[in-house]
Amino acid sequence: MSASADPCTKASDAVADPLVEAIRGIDTTALDCIQVNAAVLADARHGPGTHLELGGRLVFAPRAGAHGPLPTVEEPAADRIEPMGDLLGLVLKIGRPVTDGRALLDLLPEDGGPLYVVGDAFRMPWLPYHAHQHMDHSVLLRAVDGGARVEAVDAYDNETPYGRAEPVVCSYDLAEAAALFDGSPALPVPVRTVPPARPSVSETLARNAEAGRRLLAGDAPECYAATFRDHADQQEACAALLLETWLLSRSRRLHAAWVAHHLPGSPLASVAADRAAAWDTLAGQCYLAARRVQRGRPVPPQIHPALAELLRADAESAVRAANEHPGEAMPHMPAQVRQTVVHTVADVLGAAPEAVATTDDLSRLEGFASFQMVETVERLEDAYGVEFAAEDLDVAVLRNVEGLVGLVLRTTAGAEVAHA
């Protein structure tokens, strides 16, 4: 391969296949570098939206950092992979670390299926971290062209100090692919598909509320923020805090997407979106603080109390969410059902709710097709805990907001009569 040849294609431009299609349907900016490629696998195996189960739990569990006294909410990759698989309907069994690239490639499935691998971002040339920073990073490897080449599929999406990381598909011959992993430990993780083990929405909200009550009973948010505020080396502290708020911001954005998926148009979805936006703002402020400190300027003092306040606000929101959704069914009043239908269609199509609400024929909206009709039906069935009768799934009904509202109202009314 010549020095000028680029082996990578943006996923948005790549030839469509199940993995690429899954990437296109995911907000990759809501996932970190360990989650994102497991999310691609889950959506490819079980359908769009499966990955959102990673966002159900609202977690704040800082632990001692690997270096020095600063805490971190980041878990070691090896501790996250198998539990992640339980939610995604994937058995992700971590193999023994491999330091020989050829030995790693020997583990690729012969049928061209993907092998999930966690390696060193420093060795991955499609990333801005390449030759700059060592960190665990996941990638999907698969054999193509009858085993003559290897594709690296990576959905990671982030602005970094070294440039932008975008979802890509990269193709290498065997020697090139092996060289990427020679001499650096990589964790191979074979993938097997199983039914997802999904807790109910109410159960997840209850667990979030329990964790929220524990946090509110003590001073963990203030102690966490003070550790960064009082650290002797403020360059180190601000750099670490930037990573912390980045991780917390992405997790809150994913949580908001999970709520919107399961409770579309609900007050809880609106609150979760507001909370995620507040974390995005704080992460931006921490980026500014890190840059200022690098230039010898003082740390903006507001970032530390803001961090503690956001953590407390998250906990308070979690407690309220469980109280407002204590296991009851979705509301069945026509106006509430219409709001749910509009937000569900908008989420499936990536459209503005206002555009959906004012469109007589949904097929006029960009992105609407048979696949989106099916996903809308399945999302509404999941939301209301019903199954629509096959004879009611008329195309004219499914292409119209009012038709979908009527379908939900008739089906839920019938379910209530059947259980009376």
Side-chain angles (χ1 to χ4, degrees):
M1 182 172 60
S2 68
S4 61
D6 187 350
C8 298
T9 302
K10 291 181 181 180
S12 58
D13 300 329
V15 176
D17 68 19
L19 295 184
V20 171
E21 285 299 314
I23 292 173
R24 292 171 179 170
I26 293 173
D27 177 7
T28 49
T29 66
L31 296 149
D32 65 36
C33 61
I34 301 300
Q35 293 172 324
V36 70
N37 291 309
V40 171
L41 287 172
D43 279 25
R45 300 287 175 88
H46 296 291
T50 303
H51 74 281
L52 294 174
E53 297 309 310
L54 293 174
R57 292 300 312 281
L58 197 60
V59 176
F60 172 64
R63 49 185 285 277
H67 308 288
L70 293 173
T72 182
V73 295
E74 186 174 26
E75 293 181 85
D79 293 347
R80 303 175 59 196
I81 293 170
E82 292 185 21
M84 205 166 49
D86 293 339
L87 289 171
L88 297 176
L90 303 170
V91 176
L92 301 175
K93 191 68 175 177
I94 300 174
R96 298 179 64 179
V98 177
T99 57
D100 179 81
R102 285 284 184 176
L104 180 66
L105 299 188
D106 287 343
L107 299 176
L108 297 182
E110 293 182 0
D111 63 1
L115 179 70
Y116 177 97
V117 175
V118 175
D120 187 353
F122 189 90
R123 305 292 300 274
M124 300 178 183
W126 60 88
L127 292 171
Y129 301 113
H130 179 241
H132 287 105
Q133 187 172 349
H134 295 280
M135 64 173 64
D136 286 338
H137 189 92
S138 73
V139 63
L140 304 177
L141 301 180
R142 59 184 177 184
V144 295
D145 294 344
R149 299 185 67 81
V150 173
E151 279 188 345
V153 180
D154 187 358
Y156 187 56
D157 193 340
N158 187 31
E159 289 285 356
T160 82
Y162 316 107
R164 179 165 183 79
E166 295 183 274
V168 293
V169 178
C170 304
S171 179
Y172 300 98
D173 66 33
L174 293 180
E176 292 167 339
L180 299 180
F181 297 94
D182 277 337
S184 180
L187 289 178
V189 185
V191 181
R192 184 162 56 86
T193 305
V194 294
R198 298 176 183 170
S200 69
V201 172
S202 296
E203 179 184 350
T204 300
L205 293 178
R207 292 182 67 189
N208 289 343
E210 181 182 354
R213 292 186 192 99
R214 287 197 302 269
L215 185 145
L216 293 171
D219 59 357
E222 291 74 20
C223 291
Y224 175 73
T227 304
F228 295 94
R229 181 195 65 203
D230 299 337
H231 189 60
D233 185 341
Q234 279 301 296
Q235 282 201 25
E236 180 184 1
C238 285
L241 187 55
L242 177 57
L243 175 60
E244 295 297 291
T245 54
W246 182 88
L247 290 167
L248 288 164
S249 175
R250 288 213 166 193
S251 71
R252 272 49 180 174
R253 195 182 312 167
L254 188 60
H255 178 70
W258 175 85
V259 178
H261 182 81
H262 288 288
L263 302 170
S266 68
L268 297 185
S270 178
V271 169
D274 289 343
R275 305 294 321 129
W279 277 103
D280 278 344
T281 297
L282 180 62
Q285 292 172 338
C286 288
Y287 176 73
L288 176 62
R291 293 295 299 268
R292 285 178 61 82
V293 171
Q294 286 176 353
R295 298 182 180 187
R297 296 173 182 173
V299 179
Q302 67 271 22
I303 62 172
H304 303 105
L307 173 61
E309 289 167 9
L310 280 183
L311 289 168
R312 284 200 171 273
D314 278 354
E316 291 164 356
S317 295
V319 173
R320 286 198 302 271
N323 291 335
E324 294 170 12
H325 187 79
E328 78 277 8
M330 289 283 284
H332 295 173
M333 296 297 290
Q336 294 167 319
V337 170
R338 191 177 197 281
Q339 184 180 40
T340 299
V341 167
V342 166
H343 280 80
T344 299
V345 173
D347 194 46
V348 169
L349 297 182
E354 296 79 11
V356 173
T358 57
T359 300
D360 294 333
D361 185 346
L362 296 176
S363 66
R364 297 173 184 166
L365 296 174
E366 184 178 354
F368 186 89
S370 299
F371 183 84
Q372 283 69 33
M373 279 199 301
V374 171
E375 186 178 353
T376 299
V377 166
E378 292 176 348
R379 292 269 296 271
L380 291 172
E381 288 178 326
D382 289 344
Y384 288 95
V386 297
E387 182 176 340
F388 299 135
E391 59 270 22
D392 290 340
L393 299 178
D394 184 85
V395 171
V397 170
L398 304 183
R399 288 168 52 171
N400 182 275
V401 168
E402 301 308 328
L404 288 166
V405 171
L407 176 62
V408 170
L409 291 173
R410 290 193 303 275
T411 306
T412 54
E416 289 172 356
V417 169
H419 289 89

